[in-house]
Amino acid sequence: KSIWCDETSGDYYDFIQPAEWKQKKIGIVVADVIGHGISSALLMTTARAFFRERILNPGSSTALVADVNQRIVRDIEDLNLFITLFYSEIDIKEKIIRWVKAGHEPAILYTPQTDSYELLAGEGLPLGVMEDAAYKESQKQISSGQIILIGTDGIKEAVDTHGEMFGKERLLNIIRDYAAQPAREILDKVFDALNEFRHPLEPDDDETLVIIKVL
């Protein structure tokens, strides 16, 4: 789910499952252009096109992100914009998540059985900063019941009328309370809590969140 703070959004999420993958894995992208509004939305549209075109070609996830980065650097030149991105692939049969982080905040892996969480972190510059930037792939085994949260910074950095941020702990508490529910319901509870937290203020940044529940 994505909530825009302007008429257009610089946030982007996508689920990618080309026929060539034969239902063996699914790709998930969450990205955020610095700033928001028309220029950010146009850049994100360009990045999405680059990404969907490149993913049909062979190569690793790191090569995919590096190639998209090169095309974005050449495309935007002196616009002083960049994109943070979290790209992940879930191997459905092996139950492994692999990810590449390009300047984006880490995803969160929550395990209800132990009431614990782990950050899916990594190194890598945002897209559009340096043409020859290198990226690293990380991976982790996942298990039934676990919940994966991939979001943009607009979620945790939303503020109330006192200037206090929503933060990671509030987000984790909601996940903990509704961990037994379907992913869609968990997602709705997060945005309900977010809206209640900042009321009567309007969002001042785009807010995007993907929730994945391992069945």
Side-chain angles (χ1 to χ4, degrees):
K1 186 172 185 176
S2 190
I3 303 296
W4 304 354
C5 69
D6 282 332
E7 293 180 356
T8 58
S9 173
D11 280 7
Y12 160 55
Y13 72 88
D14 210 352
F15 304 99
I16 303 171
Q17 203 166 22
E20 293 82 353
W21 290 3
K22 298 179 180 178
Q23 305 293 313
K24 293 180 180 178
K25 63 180 180 178
I26 182 169
I28 303 104
V29 186
V30 175
D32 182 4
V33 178
I34 183 174
H36 41 81
I38 296 295
S39 59
S40 296
L42 289 173
L43 177 54
M44 190 55 75
T45 301
T46 301
R48 179 184 185 276
F50 288 164
F51 214 90
R52 281 193 160 259
E53 176 189 354
R54 175 58 182 81
I55 206 166
L56 296 175
N57 297 322
S60 65
S61 59
T62 52
L64 185 158
V65 174
D67 288 351
V68 172
N69 173 64
Q70 287 182 346
R71 296 185 66 173
I72 289 174
V73 169
R74 295 166 187 166
D75 192 63
I76 64 176
E77 294 184 351
D78 299 323
L79 292 181
N80 200 30
L81 292 173
F82 62 83
I83 304 172
T84 68
L85 173 135
F86 190 98
Y87 173 67
S88 57
E89 293 178 359
I90 294 180
D91 187 313
I92 296 169
K93 183 178 179 181
E94 301 296 329
K95 280 195 174 177
I96 292 174
I97 182 170
R98 301 179 177 91
W99 70 91
V100 176
K101 193 171 84 70
H104 202 79
E105 65 175 51
I108 298 173
L109 176 66
Y110 176 70
T111 305
Q113 294 90 332
T114 57
D115 187 25
S116 60
Y117 73 91
E118 179 179 344
L119 297 181
L120 304 184
E123 299 176 0
L125 289 173
L127 307 184
V129 173
M130 187 170 68
E131 187 170 352
D132 61 350
Y135 297 94
K136 178 182 177 182
E137 181 184 82
S138 304
Q139 71 173 43
K140 184 171 181 62
Q141 196 81 37
I142 53 179
S143 58
S144 298
Q146 286 184 315
I147 298 167
I148 302 165
L149 294 80
I150 311 172
T152 57
D153 56 12
I155 299 282
K156 291 188 290 188
E157 293 178 4
V159 296
D160 64 8
T161 54
H162 304 291
E164 183 178 351
M165 289 199 295
F166 189 71
K168 183 174 67 178
E169 290 306 316
R170 284 188 178 87
L171 181 60
L172 284 170
N173 285 337
I174 298 165
I175 304 305
R176 181 181 294 113
D177 290 344
Y178 296 98
Q181 302 303 316
R184 168 57 62 182
E185 185 163 339
I186 299 171
L187 186 69
D188 289 342
K189 294 297 184 183
V190 170
F191 278 95
D192 287 347
L194 190 59
N195 289 330
E196 183 179 348
F197 171 77
R198 68 161 167 259
H199 181 78
L201 301 178
E202 295 293 327
D204 60 2
D205 193 6
D206 301 323
E207 299 166 350
T208 299
L209 183 62
V210 171
I211 291 188
I212 302 154
K213 190 166 187 180
V214 186
L215 301 177

